Every structure is written in C-alpha cells, then in structure tokens.
Amino acid sequence: MNVLNSGIGNYVFCNGKKYSYFAGNNYLGMAGHPSVKAASIEAVKKYGVNFSASRHTTGTADIHLELEKQLSLFKGKQDTVVFSSGYQGNGILLELLKPGYSAVFIDQFAHPSIASGIPREISNIFHYNHCDTDHLEMLLQDFKGFRPLIITDGVFALTGEIAPLDKIYSLAEKYNAILIVDDAHSTGILGENGRGTVEHFKLGNSENIYQTETMSKALGGYGGFISGSLEITGLIREKSATYQASTALPPPIAAAGIASLEILRKEPELRIKLLKRAGELKKEITRLDFKTSEDNTPIIPIMLSSLARAKELSRFLEENGIIVPFMNYPVKLEFYILRIAVSTDHTDDQAVLLVDMLKKWRDKNGTH
Ligand SMILES: Cc1ncc(COP(=O)(O)O)c(C=O)c1O
C-alpha cells in the first residue's frame, strides 16, 4: 500500500521516497496552495477545528454563509447549500425529488454514490449503456408509463469522458424527465467560467438540470454542495435528514473553499493551462498507441486488457519514480485502467519523463 508522508503536489513523499505524482484529483493544485493553506490556518486559530454540531442545530457559522455566497456567485445561481461530502449530494437530491419520479435511468458506469443514493422505495432502476443516448431513449420509450429521472456523471471519474449532456438534456425535455448531473470532476474545470458540464454544453442556467458538486477535487478542499434556485436549497435545508443531521463543515475546510474560489476567480488561466497540458499529454499517449479516451479533461486513462498488465505498468512506473495508480475501484469496466491525473503544478520535465517511461514499457510489452 502506498502511504503518503507528505501533502500532495506534483511530487509527493510516499513510503519514505520522493515520487512524481500523477494521481488523485488535485487538478488545479489548490490542496497545497499557499493562500488556501494560510486561510485554513487562520480559520483554525479563530474557530478551532470543528463546530461540533449540525448546520441545522447550532453549527452554522458566518464562514459557512460566506462560502455559500461565494459558491453561488461562482455558479451564477440564486443560492447554495454546502454539506459534509460530495458523495452525499446525489442521495440528498434523489431523496428530496422522490415525489417527482417513479423510475431512475442511470449510466451503467455512474459513480457508486448515485446507485447508493437511490431511495429504497424506488425499485424501477434502468441502466443505459455507457454514454449511449440511443439506448437511453429506447429505455425511456419502453418504460413510458413511469415518471423518469435521468442521472449521470458529468465527467466520469475513471475514464475522464464527458457525458453527452446536451443529448441527454434533449431527451429529458422530450420525455419530461428530471435530470441530475454529478459534476464532481467538472467543477472548476469545464465551461467558460469553470461551472461544469452544464456550462460546457452551453445549456444556460437551466433550472431543470440539477448539479451535484464537490470541493474535494479541483477546489482542493472538501465538502459537497448544491447550487440552484431558492426552492431547491430551501428544500434541502428544511427536509434533508443528511443535511440536518450531519456535522457542519469544519472551519479550515470552509475557509479553504472560500480561498480557492477567490483564486479561481482571479486566475481563470489556471483552467486553460490545465486543459492545454492535459491535451498535450493525451496526444503523446495516443501517439504511443495506448488506448485512452477522447475527451480533453485532466483525467487520462490508459486502458489495458488484463489486470496483470495494468498492475505491471503501474509497478514499472513506480519503480521509475512515478505514481500512476491502477484503479481498483467499485466501478467495474470492461478494461483495466491506469488513471493519470494531470495538474497545473506538473512541469514539462515530469510530463516528458512519464511519456518516456510509458514508451519504454510499451516497447517491451505492447500497448493493449
Ligand atoms: C463522480 C463522483 N461523484 C462523487 C464523488 C464523491 O465526492 P467526495 O469524495 O467529495 O465525497 C466522487 C469522488 O470520488 C466522484 O468521482
């Protein structure tokens, strides 16, 4: 097991040794950003480490309200609610929107937080083939008697693929379905203002698309959030047991969120730099003839045909000072994935070394 002995950045110390780090989700380098760290330290000095109460009882602090205000500005939405983790967001919405649907249509490779968030009373669950909107429409047709809710990841955690949200949205309109997109990996990255896949596809401020988001990836901190109309945020505050009965976000985490949003606002070029770097690296990997996905996101998968080969490549890279994990994850795909996560902090030298090592392995072992 890899055990970190340092914080995360473009390099880490792991099991006592220094590695070039192409893992995790710290896409914009915010987790170790000096201003984010300083804000967290100040918050601990002012508030301690925990409010030790739920938001609904006595745990709401001025720092939560400020974070929610800043998130609403970032998203261009009326209001925002923050809660303990991104994982909870799908369950919160699926529970609260229950009166409006009787069947769930879900991408077969959706994140586990989606399946585990479907309320027990909902037994009509239909998996459509991955990103396959023809199959989704066929299922919507076949099960027309139900009131549908469609749910998908915006960017898929393992493959970095962008869901065809424009087409899914058209189907949601056509079949009068509720649509939820889990934008954990798109927040801060995709769209003109980093607002995620809805903005990426220019679907405007569509109030009938719900987004669940997290501050744990591009924003470098922790905690889930949902931005939207006062109607939906009010419903969460008034009715969600998950929101009402879990401890409020700790002070250093709330402060980290506020600080990283400020950086995002002041330095939009970070996003552009990230996608440029990711695009260049993906081009090199494609040139080496490794199988990868097409979309330009900071997640670059290398898809291999067997578990043994995936583990072997990950081990080879590690022996050469680079961490790219083989993804042993609850989402089961048809292939075995090494997941390269690109960050704005990576240097050209790191990218060159990674490509060199992949080439060396390929020359001996092939690509599939
Ligand atoms: C698509 C997706 N949704 C939700 C989550 C959960 O977010 P968090 O780890 O912030 O709770 C993750 C994290 O791995 C994810 O990849």
Side-chain angles (χ1 to χ4, degrees), residues 85-87 111 113 153 157 182 184-185 214 216-217 329:
S85 76
Y87 199 98
H111 189 263
S113 59
D153 296 23
D182 176 338
H185 294 274
T214 182
S216 70
K217 303 189 192 303
Y329 204 67

Side-chain angles (χ1 to χ4, degrees), residues 51-69:
F51 294 112
S52 196
S54 81
R55 292 285 307 280
H56 188 61
T57 55
T58 55
T60 290
D62 47 6
I63 201 167
H64 296 124
L65 302 184
E66 180 61 20
L67 175 59
E68 290 176 338
K69 186 176 145 197

Side-chain angles (χ1 to χ4, degrees), residues 88-245:
Q88 293 178 340
N90 295 313
I92 288 174
L93 279 187
L94 285 162
E95 179 63 31
L96 292 177
L97 298 174
K98 209 167 51 185
Y101 69 94
S102 59
V104 176
F105 296 77
I106 173 172
D107 186 289
Q108 70 175 132
F109 294 148
H111 189 263
S113 59
I114 293 180
S116 65
I118 299 173
R120 241 174 281 137
E121 306 87 300
I122 303 289
S123 53
N124 306 303
I125 302 169
F126 305 108
H127 290 87
Y128 60 91
N129 296 339
H130 182 48
C131 289
D132 182 344
T133 46
D134 290 339
H135 188 223
L136 171 59
E137 175 148 33
M138 210 175 84
L139 290 174
L140 288 164
Q141 275 285 355
D142 285 353
F143 298 100
K144 246 185 163 167
F146 293 113
R147 283 169 300 140
L149 179 146
I150 305 169
I151 186 161
T152 178
D153 296 23
V155 166
F156 288 83
L158 299 190
T159 61
E161 294 160 293
I162 302 172
L165 199 67
D166 49 349
K167 295 192 184 123
I168 295 173
Y169 179 61
S170 299
L171 289 177
E173 294 270 274
K174 183 170 170 188
Y175 291 89
N176 204 16
I178 297 170
L179 174 56
I180 302 176
V181 55
D182 176 338
D183 252 343
H185 294 274
S186 336
T187 302
I189 306 290
L190 294 186
E192 204 183 333
N193 300 288
R195 290 174 180 163
T197 45
V198 175
E199 190 181 49
H200 173 79
F201 285 106
K202 300 189 170 49
L203 297 175
N205 251 344
S206 318
E207 289 300 340
N208 45 353
I209 305 181
Y210 297 94
Q211 272 173 289
T212 53
E213 305 185 59
T214 182
M215 290 176 277
S216 70
K217 303 189 192 303
L219 295 182
Y222 200 77
F225 70 96
I226 291 169
S227 298
S229 63
L230 285 167
E231 196 185 342
I232 189 66
T233 54
L235 200 61
I236 296 168
R237 290 191 178 97
E238 281 157 32
K239 293 262 162 49
S240 168
T242 307
Y243 171 80
Q244 292 185 348

